[in-house]
Amino acid sequence: MEIINTKIGRRSFLKTSGAIGGGLLVGFNWLLSCKDLISKKPLDSIPKEWFKINGYIRIDQNGMVTILSPNPEIGQNVMTSMPMIVAEELDTRWENVTVKQGKLDGDSFKNPQFAGGSLSIKKGWDPLRIAGAAGRYMLIKAASKELDIPYENLITDKGIIFDKSKKIKIDYGKVASKAVHIKVPEDLKLKSPEKYTIIGTSQRNVEGPKIVKGESLFGIDFQAENMLISMIEHPPAFGMRIESFNKDEIIDMPGVIDAFVIDTSTPNPSWAEVNAFKEIIAIVGNKTWDVMQAKKKLKVNWVKIDNLEDSEDHRLRLEKDLLYGTTTEKRLDGDPDIVLKNATKTLERTYSCPFIAHNTLEPMNFFANVQENSVELIGPIQTPKTLESSVSSLLGIPAENIEVKMTRIGGGFGRRLYVHFGLEAAMISKKIGAPVKLLYKREDDLTQGIYRPAYKSVYKAAFNKKNELTAFSVKGVGLPSGPVFPNRFPAGSIDHYLAENKSSSTNISTGAWRAPKSNFTAGAEQSFIDEIAEICEKDPIDFRLELLKKSIQSPSGKKFDYDPKRFIKVLELVREKSSWNSGNKYKGVASYFCHSTYVAEVIEMVMVQNQPKIKNVWCAVDCGIVINKDSAKNMIEGSIIDGIGHALYSELNFKDGRVINNNFDKYNLIRFNQAPSKINVFFVENNLSPTGLGEPGLPPAIGALANSLYRITGKRFYSQPFFSKENLFSS
Amino acid sequence: MEFFEINVNNKIHQVEADPSTPLLWIIRENLSLVGTKYGCGISQCGACTVHLNGEAIRSCVYPVSAVGKQKITTIEGLSKDGEYSYVQEAWINEDVSQCGYCQAGQIMSATALLEKSSDPPDDEIDIAMSGNICRCGTYTRIKKAIKSASSNKKSNGNY
Ligand code: FES
Ligand code: FES
């Protein structure tokens, strides 16, 4: 059993919820949602009153529980897994739980309301457990009074409080109204993992039934009374800005209400306000199609204010700055330069990847209703808190007067960490003086991205006469910064080691794309290690294990930032599950550690009509305690397909500052027939605190893909996308 | 602006719209059926898939003026009286969705396929489903769901 302190930073569970005297009356729609048709959940009667136990938990008199899910739901399924953690410590039946999306509310929620960096579960683990345990404590305390039995003599079992002899019992629902005022102590007992009955099981996506029925869930679906529709037009190229446009003609178009230029610059922009185009044209009308038609009729004078970059410029710049760029980060162990110079044999390989876009299937959109001194913002955002403060600074309206509600989000991948579309919606609503939903056309979305930067890295290895690896070096550069993690594997496992990042520059807007930097580096490094193993005449998995053992037994240099023992476990697990040493020989392996999670993957290829095709993928994951097993598998399956898809097919190309491939006819995304036939996911079982899963499955997929392609084609792949006709980055 | 009478989910609706308006926006904005999604607007992603007389079409490029008397079914029309269709049920059981944004379109494409061919071989599934992008990469689960829907259908009937 774990004792946990209920104070989390400055946020404390100690104060009671300040609950509403009797209970909390809630709207009719919410009540209806308690009825889940597919599982035919028990529902004795529709609750009349909900008692607010704390920010996360409401209980009604029949013991029905509503759990508010605090974080944005971008498809990582936190709307199911976060409430599962609360329900576990509350000790209720999952069947009695209804989940509702919480809004941005720092008073109610003690965990950061943020979806990014695979952090929701990692950062939510303690606060969510405390919320559940605090609720359970309050209910037992209330029962203790009611039954006149000492607190210590009461136990709970799935929503029922018993005395130790199990003769006397009382339902959570019966004491909920009396629990609301009970104070939570400074220290609380948490369950030990062996006692879990909800965590570690597989529970279906709580919104799965609504999704398949096409219910209104997403930002794009949101409707409000008197709501207007808006679209934007941004400069057609990076390095351009607007001068003037044919406003009068646009306003005369049918269904158009107004058109104007907005500026979303703020005095001290946060990192989340990255956006190349602060000044854009907004067209407002009644219906989307009308506004789209008006957009086509725009005639704009754009002026050049900066370089208009081409993909070819990018390639040359990366090449130059890989040699001469400013070093921004570096780790040096031993003397790799000398060892490389005196080596019997050396290996040098250069890897590269292009810019790519996030392409969330739901394009950027947001609803805003700006009034005199208050704002309502509703839509898909990974960083609601940051949006709130940016809108506050843009409009000069205090944050307390801004309400942010999160809708279900049609994909994130990092794109919705950035808040510009929320600012734009707010500015448009302010100008037009009405509630507005802003929607990007796919072309607007693809050409105004915060892209994954293009990267280039050069890897070198030295070998002695016995073909043993003696030195390793990597230098990487990106537009604008390098992709290398100097203290990650293989740091610590090679005595002469250099890892260095260099910077470059671009006026294309870039940012976090699922597993930032790792999404390139894992593929490059793991392909290079595969080539090294070949020269050393070692089995690729054995070779990786040897390096990891070296970092346990005689680590070189300063500290490194991975746990070699956990790394070894996933490699051994994937070796076993993939039957690595038998059957089809066209298998490639990769392993990677990022976002606190260890992953090893094996991809198996077959030839189908002279084309390599992925037949099977095996994946071993150590993310500590797994919350929702089948859904965790889903996340890993998706990230593997995502990694494979982008490495094989996707690239964003520029000509005169313009994105050339501005919709899915020109921008390739992996499709159904190109996906692996089977993905098998396995978890290392342990009781370590859970880490994130949204990202870490993706990076090693690219390495395993490149290595398996080598096994079946005899060709090494160095530049992404691997399958591309006009690959400007190919070597 | 013109008046149109269209049959959506077995109900006749009167709408006033520019004849060039894609069916997608009529469904979403005039009829407030928002299950049908916008993804690309150029028939490349399948998010807007609906049925026209049982055939899967991309409503983002299908003008309202071309509908005439033909029957439109949207995702909202698949479930009858709160019951799920066999395809929707398979989707729930396989827990296919991640973000879920593409899934209405996926289900419409899969339903059109299974209504024509109750036990489709893999290459037929590939052809029917490759026009629907899932950016979250749920393809392997979609395939599983199609297979289980197909075997459920054989034992149960239709939608
Ligand atoms: S929106 Fe119709 S196919 Fe993409
Ligand atoms: S589930 Fe997100 S696009 Fe398919």
Side-chain angles (χ1 to χ4, degrees):
Chain A
M1 187 156 359
E2 189 184 333
I3 305 288
I4 197 160
N5 192 288
T6 55
K7 202 160 179 293
I8 298 163
R10 280 175 294 123
R11 301 166 154 194
S12 175
F13 277 87
L14 291 178
K15 61 176 180 180
T16 52
S17 57
I20 332 85
L24 178 71
L25 282 173
V26 290
F28 182 66
N29 284 339
W30 188 11
L31 304 176
L32 268 190
S33 68
C34 293
K35 200 168 169 196
D36 184 340
L37 295 159
I38 198 83
S39 61
K40 311 265 189 310
K41 280 183 185 177
L43 186 68
D44 309 336
S45 64
I46 288 184
K48 285 196 205 72
E49 274 186 315
W50 290 93
F51 301 101
K52 181 176 174 183
I53 303 297
N54 58 37
Y56 299 79
I57 304 169
R58 312 279 184 274
I59 300 183
D60 92 313
Q61 68 227 16
N62 295 316
M64 292 296 297
V65 179
T66 294
I67 299 179
L68 296 167
S69 182
N71 282 24
E73 173 59 69
I74 52 179
Q76 81 284 45
N77 211 3
V78 286
M79 207 169 158
T80 307
S81 54
M82 294 185 106
M84 281 172 77
I85 299 171
V86 178
E88 180 71 69
E89 289 292 345
L90 180 64
D91 199 14
T92 184
R93 290 171 62 210
W94 182 245
E95 290 70 28
N96 286 353
V97 173
T98 301
V99 176
K100 196 176 175 264
Q101 175 70 57
K103 62 174 184 176
L104 178 64
D105 179 0
D107 286 337
S108 288
F109 303 116
K110 316 293 179 190
N111 65 300
Q113 292 184 272
F114 168 87
S118 299
L119 287 171
S120 288
I121 295 295
K122 192 179 173 203
K123 297 260 185 214
W125 181 235
D126 284 348
L128 294 167
R129 286 189 302 160
I130 293 172
R136 180 172 167 274
Y137 173 89
M138 292 157 77
L139 292 159
I140 301 179
K141 268 281 180 188
S144 159
K145 239 194 205 160
E146 185 79 9
L147 302 171
D148 200 17
I149 299 174
Y151 173 86
E152 297 73 31
N153 292 349
L154 294 172
I155 51 169
T156 60
D157 188 13
K158 300 199 179 64
I160 301 167
I161 301 161
F162 294 91
D163 75 317
K164 279 192 175 151
S165 67
K166 280 218 165 184
K167 282 195 189 110
I168 306 169
K169 63 172 187 174
I170 190 162
D171 193 277
Y172 278 8
K174 297 285 168 300
V175 289
S177 69
K178 298 182 178 97
V180 287
H181 295 296
I182 286 170
K183 253 181 122 68
V184 177
E186 202 150 316
D187 291 312
L188 268 179
K189 285 180 195 148
L190 296 178
K191 275 189 187 176
S192 60
E194 304 80 61
K195 299 250 166 70
Y196 288 161
T197 58
I198 298 174
I199 292 175
T201 59
S202 293
Q203 300 300 336
R204 287 185 189 131
N205 185 338
V206 292
E207 291 203 310
K210 293 184 189 168
I211 291 169
V212 305
K213 278 172 87 176
E215 286 184 19
S216 170
L217 296 168
F218 298 90
I220 195 174
D221 302 338
F222 183 77
Q223 284 168 329
E225 229 173 289
N226 305 321
M227 181 185 88
L228 302 174
I229 300 288
S230 179
M231 295 195 127
I232 54 121
E233 185 81 9
H234 62 76
F238 289 85
M240 281 188 158
R241 69 174 282 268
I242 179 172
E243 180 91 343
S244 60
F245 76 104
N246 56 338
K247 182 176 168 124
D248 295 344
E249 202 179 319
I250 296 302
I251 294 176
D252 277 348
M253 300 259 316
V256 173
I257 294 167
D258 204 351
F260 40 78
V261 173
I262 57 164
D263 184 347
T264 54
S265 320
T266 61
N268 300 301
S270 79
W271 63 269
E273 286 175 46
V274 176
N275 172 18
F277 309 118
K278 302 276 182 190
E279 275 178 286
I280 53 177
I281 301 166
I283 304 176
V284 185
N286 292 312
K287 290 263 185 321
T288 302
W289 186 245
D290 293 336
V291 181
M292 276 187 183
Q293 296 301 94
K295 223 166 111 55
K296 285 187 204 154
K297 289 282 184 296
L298 274 170
K299 289 193 203 95
V300 191
N301 292 320
W302 306 107
V303 285
K304 185 180 159 216
I305 50 163
D306 198 359
N307 292 337
L308 302 179
E309 301 176 5
D310 286 355
S311 291
E312 181 60 12
D313 298 335
H314 293 150
R315 195 181 61 78
L316 296 171
R317 201 175 296 170
L318 284 172
E319 226 160 63
K320 187 176 112 247
D321 289 335
L322 187 54
L323 295 172
Y324 310 112
T326 315
T327 296
T328 54
E329 263 180 300
K330 185 170 169 168
R331 173 183 172 124
L332 180 66
D333 301 336
D335 201 340
D337 275 354
I338 295 283
V339 179
L340 274 158
K341 215 166 121 205
N342 300 331
T344 318
K345 192 187 279 177
T346 59
L347 178 71
E348 177 177 331
R349 295 290 184 244
T350 303
Y351 299 83
S352 61
C353 71
F355 284 94
I356 50 177
H358 297 84
N359 283 319
T360 60
L361 202 58
E362 179 190 18
M364 297 308 111
N365 66 81
F366 229 84
F367 169 85
N369 187 5
V370 176
Q371 313 253 335
E372 185 73 25
N373 196 31
S374 71
V375 185
E376 187 184 20
L377 296 164
I378 300 174
I381 187 78
Q382 292 179 249
T383 50
K385 182 81 197 155
T386 321
L387 173 66
E388 179 189 82
S389 53
S390 295
V391 168
S392 170
S393 107
L394 177 72
L395 303 180
I397 293 178
E400 310 85 82
N401 298 357
I402 299 176
E403 186 171 50
V404 184
K405 290 186 184 152
M406 292 92 84
T407 57
R408 189 174 184 85
I409 303 178
F413 316 110
R415 181 63 181 84
R416 290 177 163 109
L417 295 168
Y418 305 100
V419 299
H420 62 90
F421 45 90
L423 298 185
E424 291 157 9
M427 203 42 144
I428 296 166
S429 168
K430 184 188 161 136
K431 279 223 169 187
I432 198 92
V436 164
K437 181 166 71 185
L438 166 69
L439 173 64
Y440 277 29
K441 276 186 79 175
R442 173 57 58 193
E443 290 83 354
D444 300 325
D445 188 289
L446 236 166
T447 57
Q448 183 175 348
I450 317 285
Y451 307 112
R452 191 276 302 272
Y455 291 119
K456 199 179 208 57
S457 289
V458 59
Y459 286 78
K460 293 178 191 170
F463 302 87
N464 62 18
K465 266 197 246 103
K466 290 188 275 176
N467 280 337
E468 289 164 340
L469 175 66
T470 50
F472 182 100
S473 105
V474 52
K475 289 182 191 177
V477 65
L479 297 169
S481 52
V484 177
F485 293 91
N487 295 317
R488 280 196 187 159
F489 181 80
S493 71
I494 301 156
D495 292 337
H496 300 280
Y497 174 88
L498 168 77
E500 189 176 342
N501 258 329
K502 287 169 173 288
S503 63
S504 185
S505 61
T506 179
N507 62 16
I508 311 291
S509 43
T510 62
W513 191 103
R514 197 177 199 176
K517 303 194 279 185
S518 306
N519 60 41
F520 167 67
T521 291
E525 167 205 299
Q526 289 292 306
S527 307
F528 190 63
I529 294 214
D530 219 61
E531 277 198 67
I532 295 177
E534 199 173 20
I535 291 176
C536 297
E537 294 170 19
K538 295 265 169 65
D539 170 81
I541 293 184
D542 288 343
F543 181 70
R544 285 168 172 82
L545 291 173
E546 273 173 32
L547 290 176
L548 288 162
K549 280 175 194 150
K550 159 93 169 81
S551 23
I552 298 173
Q553 282 150 11
S554 54
S556 45
K558 316 174 281 222
K559 268 175 61 187
F560 44 85
D561 59 8
Y562 59 94
D563 176 349
K565 290 195 189 120
R566 293 180 81 178
F567 231 133
I568 288 174
K569 275 242 169 86
V570 288
L571 269 164
E572 285 175 342
L573 184 60
V574 86
R575 174 164 66 184
E576 176 204 324
K577 297 294 180 187
S578 65
S579 310
W580 176 254
N581 291 317
S582 56
N584 180 350
K585 284 276 171 286
Y586 304 135
K587 292 195 198 108
V589 68
S591 56
Y592 203 67
F593 166 67
C594 64
H595 301 89
S596 315
T597 296
Y598 298 81
V599 181
E601 288 165 7
V602 166
I603 290 180
E604 177 189 39
M605 293 274 177
V606 287
M607 275 294 184
V608 178
Q609 294 161 346
N610 277 328
Q611 285 289 318
K613 169 131 180 85
I614 300 171
K615 186 171 169 218
N616 250 308
V617 184
W618 293 268
C619 178
V621 184
D622 177 358
C623 59
I625 291 169
V626 179
I627 311 298
N628 189 1
K629 208 155 198 185
D630 186 56
S631 131
K633 286 187 179 173
N634 196 350
M635 186 72 343
I636 294 288
E637 290 162 17
S639 50
I640 289 172
I641 292 178
D642 195 2
I644 290 171
H646 281 90
L648 285 178
Y649 307 111
S650 307
E651 65 186 313
L652 191 72
N653 289 317
F654 294 87
K655 179 84 191 130
D656 301 327
R658 287 166 202 258
V659 171
I660 300 169
N661 26 8
N662 66 352
N663 203 331
F664 300 146
D665 53 342
K666 298 178 216 96
Y667 189 104
N668 294 329
L669 287 167
I670 189 167
R671 287 176 180 274
F672 185 89
N673 59 330
Q674 295 160 327
S677 318
K678 203 157 184 253
I679 302 176
N680 313 274
V681 183
F682 305 91
F683 294 99
V684 172
E685 280 179 35
N686 60 37
N687 283 337
L688 300 169
S689 294
T691 57
L693 274 186
E695 289 154 289
L698 184 148
I702 301 169
L705 171 73
N707 296 334
S708 59
L709 275 172
Y710 169 68
R711 296 269 134 53
I712 198 158
T713 63
K715 220 184 119 189
R716 293 276 179 191
F717 288 80
Y718 301 103
S719 39
Q720 296 179 34
F722 298 152
F723 293 175
S724 161
K725 274 188 214 106
E726 56 276 307
N727 186 350
L728 291 161
F729 289 80
S730 60
S731 44
Chain B
M1 285 292 204
E2 280 175 34
F3 278 98
F4 298 95
E5 264 195 5
I6 54 172
N7 179 339
V8 178
N9 301 333
N10 286 324
K11 250 209 216 136
I12 306 292
H13 298 264
Q14 267 121 23
V15 294
E16 191 189 357
D18 182 281
S20 71
T21 311
L23 186 54
L24 168 67
W25 299 111
I26 301 290
I27 293 170
R28 287 186 59 85
E29 291 182 350
N30 296 57
L31 310 186
S32 289
L33 296 171
V34 294
T36 308
K37 297 292 191 264
Y38 166 73
C40 66
I42 57 164
S43 76
Q44 290 292 317
C45 77
C48 64
T49 307
V50 299
H51 294 175
L52 184 81
N53 294 337
E55 292 281 340
I57 61 149
R58 311 293 180 222
S59 66
C60 67
V61 292
Y62 199 92
V64 63
S65 55
V67 176
K69 297 243 164 320
Q70 304 177 88
K71 283 172 93 167
I72 307 290
T73 309
T74 70
I75 186 76
E76 292 88 349
L78 285 193
S79 41
K80 301 248 158 73
D81 316 320
E83 294 292 321
Y84 297 86
S85 79
Y86 66 100
V87 182
Q88 288 170 317
E89 206 159 320
W91 245 252
I92 294 171
N93 290 335
E94 296 297 338
D95 215 10
V96 173
S97 300
Q98 283 187 29
C99 83
Y101 193 77
C102 71
Q103 300 297 349
Q106 306 279 3
I107 291 170
M108 295 311 285
S109 290
T111 302
L113 165 72
L114 291 168
E115 284 301 299
K116 257 186 279 164
S117 161
S118 60
D119 191 6
D122 281 7
D123 52 343
E124 220 174 281
I125 300 179
D126 275 0
I127 291 167
M129 299 308 296
S130 292
N132 287 77
I133 291 173
C134 175
R135 177 61 187 85
C136 299
T138 63
Y139 297 127
T140 45
R141 280 185 188 235
I142 291 173
K143 191 171 214 168
K144 264 202 225 157
I146 291 176
K147 302 232 161 171
S148 82
S150 137
S151 51
N152 281 349
K153 190 193 178 203
K154 274 179 272 169
S155 44
N156 275 326
N158 48 41
Y159 80 89

